[in-house]
């Protein structure tokens, strides 16, 4: 059965990946206009779904989409494309195991990534006669949005941060590095690699691995024109760099919806006529222009904008109707699907916004003020918070807040003071009766975040950019730390001791401006450096929706430098807290993760 596939419009990374798949796979095996079957595994199903539609596949001569692991009827007169990860080679071998009953006429094999000798030789000895093509296409990541990618490896969080996985940590970082190199290859970039040096060494290890693998990749890849470093930077960061943004309640549309509503696999379920109405589904994707337009806006702006748009569409429809004539009627019939589609989208987003506001009004509104004050250390008037515990207590005493919300508030209190005493932590856990979930708080130490400190230790918060002049809503004053990092990287303000390079820094980002200034003393060095460059940010262990938003905001502000952000996976506050809690659980199999683990 075909995957439910998303749009392949002009959407940055998505469009780039689709074009690479078209060139490397579909154009490569298109001959005599023969129709073909395509075989996918779980990862490549997600990959194709993220950037193409079934109509796109039909245009490339693909009539049937099948899962390589499922039982299928043989179609011996047709050729098959196998777009798979190397670990799925067993499915291919099984299809051609018997010479007398091969499932297909021939196989065109395209691996997402490097296929090691052991797997390759196994395939070669089993079905080499049936294979017409065998290539590695180097796309081992998912383009989630136009400027966002994921490696689709949520289990990496456990393997990178659990105290029980020292044996697997290096192997996991090795695989992540290989996946990041395929992103760089797709972007046709050989970036200067930098990393956040403290407090953990995951970022340092991963950066060294990526640098080494980039060097090897461009040395071996004969087709590439890239010989040296390109005008781009790759920043690698451990998840503990900004704990606040992972637990704070966000009030921008996308982040708020994914935090408060049960959206699974980007699918929102709603009823059009109240509780008794028929349940409908809507996929939140970039093919929906309205979603792209409003996803980063504050909920207050969204609630103001959607009714205006609905009114606008309605008035256009009425204008089209005009006087009742056969000609006008025909015109109206032609435009009805457009009007219906527009109104449906607006109804969906209005439903999401109203669902969010119902949650907000009942509980979240009071929480937000407390969270913002704790996160920033100042109140909405700019007055310094003198007693964080006094700010926190009303949340802990409120019976309407569930344990997750109380834990999020306690964490913000602890982050605000850069750790608390063991005695204070024990009291908080007992009084709020969260003994069973206490590891959601304690286990942050494995991410390098101070949780328990001695009362004598300094309790100072790291300095942040002054954004007091920026226009914000009172309950949305916090800015993700990654936005500061992105801006500082583009403006060349990152401290080289805190953010060391793994290689020679590319000349346009060399920190001194010497290269540009020598040749163009009167031009704006910053603009010259940024022209045509990319800033890639990779976070080990998950990114939040607010951090994704930051990539778009910074790209908009620095128009000639595109910011791309990615991670092992995307997190919501609840999901991350569950993952934090699980860090001290000993898993039954201590093996390196794979995509389908």
């Amino acid at each position: 059965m075909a995957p439910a596939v998303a749009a392949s419009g002009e959407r940055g990374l998505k469009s780039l990946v689709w074009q690479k798949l078209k060139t490397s796979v579909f154009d490569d095996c298109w001959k005599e206009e023969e129709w073909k079957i395509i075989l996918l595994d779980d990862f490549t199903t997600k990959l194709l779904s993220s950037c193409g539609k079934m109509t796109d596949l039909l245009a490339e001569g693909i009539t049937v989409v099948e899962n390589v692991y499922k039982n299928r009827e043989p179609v011996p007169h047709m050729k098959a494309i196998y777009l798979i990860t190397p670990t799925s080679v067993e499915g291919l071998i099984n299809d051609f195991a018997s010479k007398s009953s091969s499932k297909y006429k021939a196989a065109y094999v395209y691996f997402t990534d490097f296929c090691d000798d052991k797997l390759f030789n196994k395939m070669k000895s089993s079905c080499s006669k049936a294979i017409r093509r065998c290539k590695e296409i180097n796309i081992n990541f998912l383009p989630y949005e136009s400027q966002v990618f994921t490696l689709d490896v949520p289990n990496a969080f456990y393997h990178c941060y659990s105290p029980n996985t020292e044996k697997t940590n290096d192997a996991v970082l090795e695989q992540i590095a290989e996946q990041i190199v395929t992103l760089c290859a797709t972007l046709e970039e050989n970036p200067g690699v930098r990393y956040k040096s403290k407090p953990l060494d995951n970022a340092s290890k991963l950066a060294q691995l990526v640098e080494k693998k980039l060097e090897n990749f461009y040395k071996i890849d004969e087709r590439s024109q890239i010989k040296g470093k390109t005008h781009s930077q790759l920043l690698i960061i451990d998840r503990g760099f900004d704990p606040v943004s992972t637990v704070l309640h966000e009030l921008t549309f996308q982040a708020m919806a994914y935090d408060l509503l049960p959206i699974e696999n980007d699918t929102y379920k709603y009823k059009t006529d109240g509780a008794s109405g028929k349940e409908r589904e809507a996929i939140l994707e970039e093919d929906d222009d309205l979603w792209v337009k409003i996803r980063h806006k504050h909920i207050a702006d969204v609630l103001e904008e959607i009714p205006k748009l609905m009114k606008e569409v309605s008035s256009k429809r009425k204008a089209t109707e005009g006087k009742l004539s056969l000609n006008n009627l025909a015109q109206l019939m032609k435009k009805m699907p457009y009007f219906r589609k527009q109104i449906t989208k607006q109804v969906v987003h209005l439903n999401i916004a109203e669902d969010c506001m119902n949650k907000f009004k009942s509980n979240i509104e009071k929480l937000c003020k407390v969270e913002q004050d704790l996160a920033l250390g100042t109140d909405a008037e700019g007055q310094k918070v003198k007693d964080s515990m006094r700010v926190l207590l009303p949340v802990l005493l409120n019976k309407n807040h569930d344990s997750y919300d109380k834990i999020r508030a306690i964490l913000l209190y602890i982050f605000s003071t850069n750790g608390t005493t063991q005695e204070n932590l024990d009291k908080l856990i007992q009084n709020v009766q969260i003994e069973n979930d206490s590891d959601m708080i304690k286990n942050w130490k494995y991410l390098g975040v101070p949780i328990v400190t001695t009362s004598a230790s300094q309790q100072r918060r790291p300095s942040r950019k002054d954004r007091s002049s920026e226009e914000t809503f009172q309950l949305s004053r916090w800015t993700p730390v990654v936005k500061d990092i992105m801006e500082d990287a583009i403006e060349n303000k990152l401290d080289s001791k805190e953010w060391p390079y793994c290689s020679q820094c590319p000349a346009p980002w060399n920190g001194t401006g010497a290269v540009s200034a020598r040749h163009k003393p009167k031009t704006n060095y910053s603009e010259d450096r940024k022209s045509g460059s990319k800033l890639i940010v990779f976070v080990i262990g998950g990114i939040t929706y607010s951090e994704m938003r930051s990539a778009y905001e910074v790209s908009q502000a620095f128009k000639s430098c595109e910011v791309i952000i990615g991670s092992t996976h995307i997190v919501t506050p609840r999901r991350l807290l569950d993952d934090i809690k699980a860090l001290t659980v000993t898993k039954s199999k201590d093996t390196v993760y794979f995509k389908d683990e």
Side-chain angles (χ1 to χ4, degrees):
M1 188 181 161
V5 259
S8 60
E10 292 304 312
R11 296 285 183 206
L13 266 180
K14 286 173 174 274
S15 179
L16 208 58
V17 170
W18 172 256
Q19 284 307 317
K20 190 172 178 181
L21 284 170
K22 182 170 164 42
T23 308
S24 307
V25 179
F26 305 123
D27 291 353
D28 183 61
C29 64
W30 179 255
K31 189 184 175 187
E32 297 165 11
E33 299 191 354
E34 287 180 295
W35 292 98
K36 292 185 181 72
I37 289 168
I38 192 165
L39 282 303
L40 307 170
D41 57 24
D42 291 348
F43 176 75
T44 53
T45 299
K46 290 178 189 174
L47 175 64
L48 215 47
S49 297
S50 70
C51 61
K53 288 184 175 182
M54 193 62 214
T55 50
D56 297 323
L57 295 180
L58 284 168
E60 301 300 332
I62 307 296
T63 54
V64 182
V65 182
E66 298 271 20
N67 188 305
V68 74
Y69 288 119
K70 289 186 178 168
N71 288 329
R72 290 160 272 122
E73 287 296 316
V75 193
H77 66 282
M78 289 186 82
K79 294 174 183 175
I81 296 170
Y82 286 78
L83 176 59
I84 53 176
T85 52
T87 50
S88 298
V89 78
E90 209 64 57
L92 163 67
I93 292 168
N94 292 340
D95 286 351
F96 294 92
S98 168
K99 289 178 184 177
S100 59
S101 61
S102 293
K103 274 196 165 63
Y104 308 107
K105 187 177 177 181
Y108 293 76
V109 184
Y110 299 90
F111 290 120
T112 54
D113 203 354
F114 173 72
C115 181
D116 66 39
D117 291 346
K118 187 181 173 185
L119 288 172
F120 184 79
N121 291 332
K122 191 175 182 182
M123 176 185 71
K124 193 177 171 184
S125 63
S126 305
C127 50
S128 59
K129 287 184 179 177
I131 296 171
R132 300 283 174 85
R133 294 263 204 296
C134 186
K135 290 185 176 182
E136 293 159 355
I137 61 167
N138 296 304
I139 310 176
N140 201 357
F141 65 94
L142 300 179
Y144 183 71
E145 286 182 0
S146 58
Q147 290 174 231
V148 181
F149 68 94
T150 86
L151 304 186
D152 191 38
V153 284
N155 286 329
F157 184 83
Y158 179 82
H159 289 282
C160 287
Y161 297 114
S162 172
N164 305 324
T165 56
E166 286 177 22
K167 292 176 187 175
T168 60
N169 178 283
D170 289 350
V172 168
L173 291 176
E174 186 94 25
Q175 184 176 329
I176 290 172
E178 284 169 6
Q179 290 185 260
I180 292 172
V181 169
T182 72
L183 170 87
C184 296
T186 302
L187 292 169
E188 296 184 339
E189 295 286 358
N190 184 4
V193 183
R194 302 179 80 169
Y195 60 92
K196 182 81 163 65
S197 58
K198 290 177 182 177
L200 302 180
D201 62 358
N202 281 327
S204 166
K205 282 183 188 174
L206 181 58
Q208 303 288 347
L209 285 167
V210 170
E211 180 57 48
K212 187 180 168 187
K213 288 176 188 292
L214 276 171
E215 193 181 325
N216 291 339
F217 177 82
Y218 284 115
K219 206 181 281 179
I220 296 164
D221 188 24
E222 293 169 3
R223 292 165 299 170
S224 175
Q225 301 298 308
I226 299 167
K227 301 301 173 194
K229 290 292 179 187
T230 54
H231 290 191
S232 61
Q233 272 197 93
L234 167 61
L235 306 181
I236 295 177
I237 319 170
D238 263 302
R239 180 57 270 176
F241 82 103
D242 176 14
V244 171
S245 294
T246 64
V247 296
L248 202 72
H249 278 91
E250 261 277 340
L251 299 182
T252 49
F253 194 42
Q254 182 184 35
M256 188 180 190
Y258 277 81
D259 182 8
L260 301 183
L261 309 181
I263 296 170
E264 294 290 332
N265 299 319
D266 303 315
T267 303
Y268 167 69
K269 294 180 180 179
Y270 66 105
K271 290 183 178 178
T272 45
D273 303 308
S276 58
K278 186 182 174 184
E279 187 171 82
R280 298 176 186 272
E281 286 187 356
I283 296 171
L284 304 177
E285 59 179 3
E286 288 190 314
D287 195 27
D288 178 351
D289 292 335
L290 180 57
W291 172 246
V292 172
K293 185 181 178 183
I294 64 177
R295 65 186 170 187
H296 299 144
K297 292 192 174 188
H298 192 278
I299 188 70
D301 291 333
V302 172
L303 283 164
E304 197 175 298
E305 187 157 338
I306 296 174
K308 279 183 188 172
L309 289 168
M310 290 182 87
K311 202 172 178 182
E312 196 179 304
V313 171
S314 182
S315 63
K316 279 182 185 173
R317 186 172 147 188
K318 281 175 184 171
T320 309
E321 289 174 28
K323 290 178 183 176
L324 199 63
S325 70
L326 283 173
N327 188 42
N328 283 348
L329 214 56
Q331 290 297 315
L332 179 61
M333 291 304 286
K334 281 179 188 173
K335 291 185 180 180
M336 274 303 278
Y338 167 77
F339 288 131
R340 197 178 295 118
K341 194 176 177 183
Q342 291 296 101
I343 290 168
T344 301
K345 283 178 184 177
Q346 289 156 8
V347 167
V348 166
H349 297 307
L350 195 57
N351 267 283
I352 295 172
E354 286 175 351
D355 275 2
C356 285
M357 284 310 289
N358 288 338
K359 300 260 186 187
F360 177 75
K361 289 291 181 191
S362 61
N363 270 326
I364 310 301
E365 191 171 7
K366 289 172 186 171
L367 270 175
C368 284
K369 184 188 183 312
V370 171
E371 289 180 352
Q372 293 291 318
D373 291 358
L374 288 172
L376 288 147
T378 55
D379 62 19
E381 283 71 47
Q383 296 298 310
K384 190 176 177 182
V385 172
K386 291 173 183 171
D387 187 348
S388 296
M389 182 55 82
R390 180 178 269 186
V391 174
L392 174 67
L393 273 175
V395 172
L396 305 186
L397 297 171
N398 190 326
K399 291 176 183 177
N400 293 324
H401 297 316
D402 66 18
S403 62
Y404 277 98
D405 285 339
K406 289 181 180 181
I407 287 167
R408 287 164 75 168
I410 290 169
L411 281 167
L412 287 168
Y413 161 74
I414 294 170
F415 300 155
S416 74
T417 54
N418 219 22
T420 189
T421 62
Q422 185 66 58
E423 184 188 3
N424 197 22
L425 180 60
D426 291 341
K427 277 182 186 173
L428 283 168
I429 289 166
Q430 283 170 1
N431 291 340
V432 186
Q433 297 176 328
I434 50 168
E435 287 86 352
N436 292 338
D437 291 327
S438 62
D439 283 348
M440 287 183 184
I441 299 169
K442 294 173 183 175
N443 286 355
W444 278 91
K445 66 183 178 185
Y446 299 118
L447 276 71
V449 178
I451 296 298
V452 175
T453 55
T454 60
S455 54
S457 67
Q458 271 192 309
Q459 298 187 339
R460 57 188 180 85
R461 59 175 71 233
S463 58
R464 292 291 308 275
K465 265 192 177 185
D466 180 17
R467 296 184 184 269
S468 54
S469 61
E470 294 179 16
E471 209 174 300
T472 56
F473 288 84
Q474 282 194 1
L475 300 182
S476 298
R477 290 174 285 130
W478 172 261
T479 302
V481 174
V482 80
K483 190 171 183 181
D484 292 2
I485 293 167
M486 290 167 177
E487 290 173 348
D488 285 348
I490 293 170
E491 293 174 336
N492 233 345
K493 291 178 181 174
L494 288 181
D495 185 326
S496 56
K497 287 179 184 173
E498 205 180 324
W499 293 89
Y501 270 98
C502 283
S503 61
Q504 184 186 352
C505 168
W509 301 85
N510 67 5
T512 63
V515 174
S516 304
R518 197 180 300 130
H519 301 296
K520 300 177 184 178
K522 290 180 183 177
T523 59
N524 182 325
Y525 163 62
S526 177
E527 285 303 314
D528 184 70
R529 184 190 69 249
K530 290 178 294 173
S531 181
S533 61
K534 285 186 175 66
L535 175 65
I536 306 161
V537 179
F538 183 80
V539 181
I540 306 168
I543 45 169
T544 68
Y545 287 94
S546 60
E547 288 166 340
M548 285 159 54
R549 185 185 74 245
S550 297
Y552 294 93
E553 289 172 347
V554 175
S555 297
Q556 188 63 31
F558 298 88
K559 292 194 189 307
S560 50
C561 181
E562 184 184 16
V563 182
I564 293 168
I565 190 167
S567 182
T568 46
H569 60 306
I570 296 164
V571 294
T572 58
R574 285 188 177 229
R575 180 177 173 178
L576 183 66
L577 290 177
D578 288 339
D579 289 345
I580 294 272
K581 182 182 177 180
L583 287 177
T584 41
V585 175
T586 305
K587 295 198 174 180
S588 56
K589 53 173 187 172
D590 192 24
T591 54
V592 178
Y593 73 98
F594 291 102
K595 286 194 175 12
D596 301 321
E597 183 185 76

